[in-house]
Amino acid sequence: VVASAGGTDEERQAVLEAIHAWNATPSAATGVVLLPVPWEVPSGAETSDREVLRDADILVGTFWTRLGTAGEEVDEFRKAGKRVLLYFSDAPAIPSRVNREQYGQLENYRLQREGERLAEGYGSVGELRAKFPQHLATVVRDLHAASPEPATGRAGPAKVVAERGSSAPPRARTAPARA
């Protein structure tokens, strides 16, 4: 599942492009296919956010100026033993357009997750484009190596959830899975 909040549209596109690039190249070597599913547009009319998270194997989060309720969802995902990749934008924000309380919550969450080695900052979308594919490849390979192979000898696709992040103005376990 791939989702983003306002202000992180370019980051969302970078994540999607990296997933599609994975499917074009490394996927052939591992047999793992990543299926991106937009979080805010569930695959079925009755699918809730919780069902989307339950069925995903990897959560990718991009944040800029606010956390919202995403922290709770990320924490639940982690408690289920699933992999999380969180990215926090270091791009400057316009103070008059940022809710300082929400920004403070985001910064506290970021510091906690960086301390747990679950998060990294990025200064530009280009930097995220360079970091994310490497991190994704490592996580998918780790998950693929840890899971039993299906009887056919090929692994099923891996799911990825990309988390909603900010609202400010712009500046996997394997088999079967979705991205």
Side-chain angles (χ1 to χ4, degrees), residues 4-12 62-65 89 91 122 125 165-171:
S4 64
T8 58
D9 292 342
E10 289 182 68
E11 289 88 337
R12 175 192 182 117
T62 59
F63 302 91
W64 184 20
T65 61
S89 176
Y122 62 94
V125 175
S166 76
S167 65
R171 37 114 212 137

Side-chain angles (χ1 to χ4, degrees), residues 66-114:
R66 77 179 182 101
L67 182 62
T69 62
E72 297 168 21
E73 293 162 337
V74 170
D75 291 342
E76 284 182 34
F77 195 83
R78 289 178 48 222
K79 286 177 187 173
K82 297 181 180 187
R83 297 293 300 265
V84 175
L85 297 170
L86 302 176
Y87 299 91
F88 293 83
S89 176
D90 292 322
I94 301 169
S96 63
R97 294 189 179 172
V98 174
N99 179 310
R100 292 185 181 159
E101 182 181 339
Q102 289 179 6
Y103 189 73
Q105 292 171 350
L106 174 69
E107 286 300 303
N108 289 335
Y109 189 79
R110 176 182 181 166
L111 289 172
Q112 292 170 352
R113 297 307 158 257
E114 285 176 341

Side-chain angles (χ1 to χ4, degrees), residues 11-100:
E11 289 88 337
R12 175 192 182 117
Q13 189 60 38
V15 167
L16 289 170
E17 289 170 4
I19 291 169
H20 293 302
W22 168 272
N23 288 338
T25 309
S27 173
T30 63
V32 176
V33 175
L34 304 174
L35 304 172
V37 176
W39 188 339
E40 65 282 351
V41 184
S43 56
E46 300 153 15
T47 305
S48 70
D49 283 353
R50 294 226 184 273
E51 289 171 316
V52 170
L53 288 172
R54 181 196 65 215
D55 293 339
D57 298 300
I58 304 168
L59 187 142
V60 179
T62 59
F63 302 91
W64 184 20
T65 61
R66 77 179 182 101
L67 182 62
T69 62
E72 297 168 21
E73 293 162 337
V74 170
D75 291 342
E76 284 182 34
F77 195 83
R78 289 178 48 222
K79 286 177 187 173
K82 297 181 180 187
R83 297 293 300 265
V84 175
L85 297 170
L86 302 176
Y87 299 91
F88 293 83
S89 176
D90 292 322
I94 301 169
S96 63
R97 294 189 179 172
V98 174
N99 179 310
R100 292 185 181 159

